[in-house]
Coordinates of all heavy atoms in Angstrom, one line a residue:
L3 N 145.3 172.1 -68.7 CA 145.4 170.6 -68.3 C 145.2 170.4 -66.8 O 144.5 169.5 -66.4 CB 146.7 170.1 -68.8 CG 147.0 168.6 -68.6 CD1 145.9 167.8 -69.3 CD2 148.4 168.2 -69.0
H4 N 145.8 171.3 -66.0 CA 145.7 171.2 -64.6 C 144.2 171.5 -64.2 O 143.7 170.8 -63.3 CB 146.6 172.2 -63.9 CG 148.1 171.9 -64.0 ND1 148.6 170.7 -63.6 CD2 149.1 172.6 -64.4 CE1 149.9 170.6 -63.8 NE2 150.3 171.8 -64.3
F5 N 143.6 172.4 -64.8 CA 142.2 172.8 -64.5 C 141.3 171.6 -64.8 O 140.4 171.2 -64.0 CB 141.8 174.0 -65.3 CG 140.4 174.4 -65.0 CD1 140.0 175.0 -63.9 CD2 139.4 174.1 -66.0 CE1 138.6 175.4 -63.7 CE2 138.1 174.4 -65.8 CZ 137.7 175.1 -64.6
I6 N 141.5 170.9 -66.0 CA 140.7 169.8 -66.3 C 140.9 168.6 -65.4 O 139.9 168.0 -65.0 CB 141.0 169.4 -67.8 CG1 140.5 170.4 -68.8 CG2 140.3 168.0 -68.1 CD1 139.0 170.6 -68.8
K7 N 142.1 168.4 -65.0 CA 142.4 167.3 -64.0 C 141.7 167.6 -62.7 O 141.1 166.7 -62.1 CB 143.9 167.2 -63.8 CG 144.7 166.6 -64.9 CD 146.1 166.5 -64.6 CE 146.9 165.8 -65.8 NZ 148.4 165.7 -65.5
F8 N 141.7 168.9 -62.3 CA 141.0 169.2 -61.0 C 139.5 169.0 -61.2 O 138.8 168.6 -60.3 CB 141.3 170.7 -60.6 CG 140.5 171.2 -59.5 CD1 140.8 170.8 -58.2 CD2 139.4 172.1 -59.8 CE1 140.0 171.3 -57.1 CE2 138.7 172.6 -58.7 CZ 138.9 172.2 -57.4
A9 N 138.9 169.4 -62.3 CA 137.5 169.3 -62.5 C 137.0 167.9 -62.6 O 135.8 167.6 -62.2 CB 137.1 170.1 -63.8
L10 N 137.9 167.0 -63.0 CA 137.5 165.6 -63.1 C 137.8 164.7 -61.9 O 137.6 163.5 -61.9 CB 138.1 165.0 -64.4 CG 137.8 165.6 -65.7 CD1 138.5 165.0 -66.9 CD2 136.3 165.4 -66.0
R11 N 138.4 165.3 -60.9 CA 138.9 164.6 -59.7 C 137.7 164.3 -58.8 O 136.9 165.1 -58.4 CB 139.9 165.4 -59.0 CG 140.6 164.7 -57.8 CD 141.6 165.6 -57.1 NE 142.5 166.2 -58.1 CZ 143.2 167.3 -57.8 NH1 143.0 168.0 -56.7 NH2 144.1 167.7 -58.7
K12 N 137.5 163.0 -58.4 CA 136.5 162.5 -57.5 C 135.1 163.1 -57.8 O 134.6 162.8 -58.8 CB 137.0 162.8 -56.1 CG 138.3 162.2 -55.7 CD 138.8 162.5 -54.3 CE 140.1 161.8 -53.9 NZ 140.5 162.2 -52.6
R13 N 134.6 163.8 -56.8 CA 133.2 164.3 -56.9 C 133.1 165.7 -57.6 O 132.0 166.3 -57.7 CB 132.5 164.4 -55.6 CG 132.3 163.0 -54.9 CD 131.4 163.1 -53.7 NE 131.1 161.8 -53.1 CZ 130.4 161.6 -52.1 NH1 129.8 162.7 -51.5 NH2 130.1 160.4 -51.6
N14 N 134.2 166.2 -58.0 CA 134.2 167.6 -58.6 C 133.3 167.7 -59.8 O 132.7 168.8 -60.0 CB 135.7 168.0 -58.9 CG 136.5 168.3 -57.7 OD1 135.9 168.4 -56.6 ND2 137.8 168.6 -57.9
P15 N 133.2 166.7 -60.7 CA 132.3 166.9 -61.8 C 130.9 167.2 -61.4 O 130.2 168.0 -62.0 CB 132.4 165.5 -62.5 CG 133.8 165.0 -62.2 CD 134.0 165.5 -60.8
Y16 N 130.4 166.5 -60.3 CA 129.0 166.8 -59.8 C 128.9 168.2 -59.3 O 127.9 168.9 -59.5 CB 128.7 165.8 -58.7 CG 128.7 164.3 -59.2 CD1 129.7 163.5 -58.9 CD2 127.6 163.8 -60.0 CE1 129.7 162.2 -59.3 CE2 127.6 162.5 -60.4 CZ 128.7 161.7 -60.1 OH 128.7 160.4 -60.5
L17 N 130.0 168.7 -58.6 CA 130.0 170.0 -58.1 C 130.0 171.1 -59.2 O 129.2 172.1 -59.2 CB 131.2 170.3 -57.2 CG 131.2 169.4 -55.9 CD1 132.5 169.7 -55.2 CD2 130.0 169.8 -55.0
F18 N 130.8 170.8 -60.3 CA 130.8 171.7 -61.4 C 129.4 171.7 -62.1 O 128.9 172.8 -62.5 CB 131.9 171.3 -62.4 CG 133.2 171.9 -62.1 CD1 134.1 171.3 -61.3 CD2 133.6 173.1 -62.7 CE1 135.4 171.9 -61.0 CE2 134.8 173.7 -62.4 CZ 135.7 173.1 -61.5
L19 N 128.8 170.6 -62.3 CA 127.6 170.5 -63.0 C 126.5 171.2 -62.2 O 125.7 172.0 -62.7 CB 127.2 169.0 -63.3 CG 125.8 168.8 -64.0 CD1 125.8 169.5 -65.3 CD2 125.5 167.3 -64.1
G20 N 126.4 170.9 -60.9 CA 125.4 171.6 -60.0 C 125.7 173.1 -60.0 O 124.7 173.9 -60.0
G21 N 126.9 173.5 -59.9 CA 127.2 174.9 -59.9 C 126.8 175.6 -61.2 O 126.3 176.8 -61.1
T22 N 127.0 174.9 -62.3 CA 126.6 175.5 -63.6 C 125.1 175.7 -63.6 O 124.6 176.8 -64.1 CB 127.0 174.6 -64.7 OG1 128.4 174.4 -64.7 CG2 126.7 175.3 -66.1
V23 N 124.3 174.7 -63.2 CA 122.8 174.8 -63.2 C 122.4 175.9 -62.2 O 121.5 176.7 -62.5 CB 122.2 173.5 -62.8 CG1 120.7 173.6 -62.7 CG2 122.5 172.4 -63.8
L24 N 123.0 176.0 -61.0 CA 122.7 177.0 -60.1 C 123.0 178.4 -60.6 O 122.2 179.4 -60.5 CB 123.5 176.8 -58.8 CG 123.2 177.8 -57.6 CD1 121.7 177.6 -57.2 CD2 124.1 177.5 -56.4
L25 N 124.1 178.5 -61.3 CA 124.5 179.8 -61.9 C 123.5 180.2 -63.0 O 123.1 181.4 -63.1 CB 125.9 179.8 -62.5 CG 126.5 181.0 -63.1 CD1 126.6 182.2 -62.1 CD2 127.8 180.8 -63.8
L26 N 123.0 179.3 -63.8 CA 122.0 179.6 -64.8 C 120.7 180.1 -64.1 O 120.2 181.1 -64.6 CB 121.7 178.3 -65.6 CG 120.6 178.4 -66.6 CD1 120.9 179.4 -67.7 CD2 120.3 177.0 -67.2
I27 N 120.3 179.5 -63.1 CA 119.0 179.9 -62.4 C 119.2 181.3 -61.8 O 118.4 182.2 -61.9 CB 118.6 178.9 -61.3 CG1 118.3 177.5 -62.0 CG2 117.4 179.4 -60.5 CD1 118.1 176.4 -61.0
I28 N 120.4 181.5 -61.1 CA 120.6 182.8 -60.5 C 120.7 183.9 -61.6 O 120.2 185.0 -61.4 CB 122.0 182.8 -59.7 CG1 121.8 181.9 -58.5 CG2 122.4 184.2 -59.3 CD1 123.1 181.6 -57.8
T29 N 121.3 183.6 -62.7 CA 121.4 184.6 -63.8 C 120.1 185.0 -64.3 O 119.8 186.2 -64.5 CB 122.3 184.1 -64.9 OG1 123.6 183.7 -64.4 CG2 122.5 185.1 -66.0
I30 N 119.2 184.0 -64.6 CA 117.9 184.3 -65.1 C 117.1 185.1 -64.1 O 116.4 186.1 -64.5 CB 117.2 183.0 -65.5 CG1 117.9 182.3 -66.6 CG2 115.7 183.3 -65.9 CD1 117.3 180.9 -67.0
N31 N 117.1 184.7 -62.8 CA 116.3 185.5 -61.8 C 116.9 186.9 -61.7 O 116.1 187.8 -61.5 CB 116.4 184.7 -60.5 CG 115.6 183.4 -60.5 OD1 114.5 183.4 -61.1 ND2 116.0 182.4 -59.8
F32 N 118.2 187.0 -61.7 CA 118.8 188.3 -61.6 C 118.4 189.2 -62.7 O 118.1 190.4 -62.5 CB 120.3 188.2 -61.6 CG 121.1 189.5 -61.5 CD1 121.1 190.2 -60.3 CD2 121.7 190.0 -62.6 CE1 121.8 191.4 -60.2 CE2 122.4 191.2 -62.5 CZ 122.4 191.9 -61.3
Y33 N 118.3 188.7 -63.9 CA 117.8 189.5 -65.1 C 116.4 190.0 -64.9 O 116.1 191.2 -65.1 CB 117.9 188.6 -66.3 CG 117.4 189.3 -67.6 CD1 118.2 190.2 -68.3 CD2 116.2 189.1 -68.1 CE1 117.7 190.9 -69.4 CE2 115.7 189.7 -69.2 CZ 116.5 190.6 -69.9 OH 116.0 191.2 -71.0
F34 N 115.5 189.1 -64.5 CA 114.1 189.5 -64.4 C 113.9 190.4 -63.1 O 113.0 191.2 -63.1 CB 113.2 188.3 -64.3 CG 113.0 187.6 -65.7 CD1 113.7 186.4 -66.0 CD2 112.3 188.2 -66.7 CE1 113.5 185.8 -67.2 CE2 112.1 187.7 -67.9 CZ 112.8 186.5 -68.2
L35 N 114.6 190.2 -62.0 CA 114.5 191.0 -60.9 C 114.9 192.4 -61.1 O 114.4 193.4 -60.5 CB 115.3 190.4 -59.7 CG 114.8 189.2 -59.0 CD1 115.8 188.6 -58.0 CD2 113.5 189.4 -58.4
R36 N 115.8 192.6 -62.1 CA 116.3 194.0 -62.4 C 115.2 194.7 -63.3 O 115.2 195.9 -63.3 CB 117.6 193.9 -63.2 CG 118.8 193.6 -62.4 CD 120.1 193.7 -63.2 NE 120.3 195.0 -63.7 CZ 120.2 195.3 -65.0 NH1 119.9 194.4 -65.9 NH2 120.5 196.6 -65.4
D37 N 114.3 193.9 -63.9 CA 113.2 194.5 -64.7 C 113.8 195.5 -65.7 O 113.4 196.7 -65.7 CB 112.2 195.1 -63.8 CG 110.9 195.4 -64.7 OD1 110.7 194.8 -65.7 OD2 110.1 196.3 -64.2
P38 N 114.7 195.1 -66.6 CA 115.3 196.0 -67.5 C 114.3 196.6 -68.5 O 113.4 195.9 -69.0 CB 116.4 195.2 -68.3 CG 115.8 193.8 -68.2 CD 115.1 193.7 -66.9
E39 N 114.5 197.8 -68.9 CA 113.7 198.5 -69.9 C 114.1 198.1 -71.3 O 115.3 198.2 -71.6 CB 113.8 200.0 -69.7 CG 112.9 200.8 -70.7 CD 113.0 202.3 -70.5 OE1 113.8 202.7 -69.7 OE2 112.3 203.0 -71.2
I40 N 113.2 197.7 -72.1 CA 113.5 197.2 -73.5 C 113.3 198.4 -74.4 O 112.2 198.9 -74.6 CB 112.7 196.0 -73.9 CG1 112.9 194.8 -72.9 CG2 113.0 195.6 -75.3 CD1 112.1 193.6 -73.1
I41 N 114.4 198.8 -75.1 CA 114.3 199.9 -76.0 C 114.9 199.4 -77.3 O 116.0 199.1 -77.4 CB 115.1 201.1 -75.5 CG1 114.6 201.6 -74.1 CG2 115.1 202.3 -76.5 CD1 115.4 202.7 -73.5
N42 N 114.0 199.4 -78.4 CA 114.5 199.0 -79.7 C 115.4 200.0 -80.3 O 116.4 199.6 -80.9 CB 113.3 198.8 -80.6 CG 112.5 197.5 -80.2 OD1 113.0 196.5 -79.8 ND2 111.2 197.6 -80.3
F43 N 115.1 201.3 -80.2 CA 116.0 202.3 -80.7 C 116.3 203.3 -79.6 O 115.4 204.1 -79.2 CB 115.3 203.0 -81.9 CG 115.1 202.1 -83.1 CD1 113.9 201.5 -83.2 CD2 116.1 201.9 -84.0 CE1 113.7 200.6 -84.3 CE2 115.9 201.1 -85.0 CZ 114.7 200.4 -85.2
P44 N 117.5 203.3 -79.0 CA 117.8 204.1 -77.9 C 117.6 205.6 -78.2 O 117.9 206.0 -79.3 CB 119.3 203.8 -77.6 CG 119.5 202.4 -78.2 CD 118.6 202.4 -79.4
S45 N 117.2 206.3 -77.2 CA 117.0 207.8 -77.4 C 118.4 208.5 -77.4 O 119.1 208.3 -76.4 CB 116.1 208.3 -76.3 OG 115.9 209.7 -76.4
T46 N 118.7 209.2 -78.4 CA 119.9 209.9 -78.4 C 119.7 211.4 -78.5 O 118.6 211.9 -78.6 CB 120.7 209.5 -79.7 OG1 119.9 209.8 -80.9 CG2 121.0 208.0 -79.7

């Protein structure tokens, strides 16, 4: 309840929304920058 009140206070909703979009972009770029190897059946 305290967290929701803080998130809805004044301009905080815009900051949370912008931060979420920014985190989405950073996560996608981080994934592709790592260039992970795709293995359907891992070698054991």
Side-chain angles (χ1 to χ4, degrees):
L3 183 61
H4 289 306
F5 178 77
I6 291 297
K7 288 180 179 178
F8 171 76
L10 297 177
R11 189 182 304 161
K12 297 180 180 179
R13 294 188 176 182
N14 287 353
Y16 298 102
L17 296 176
F18 271 89
L19 180 61
T22 303
V23 175
L24 182 63
L25 181 62
L26 174 65
I27 297 173
I28 292 174
T29 303
I30 295 174
N31 288 325
F32 178 74
Y33 175 81
F34 285 107
L35 287 175
R36 287 182 64 248
D37 191 22
E39 183 181 3
I40 299 175
I41 302 176
N42 290 322
F43 295 94
S45 179
T46 57

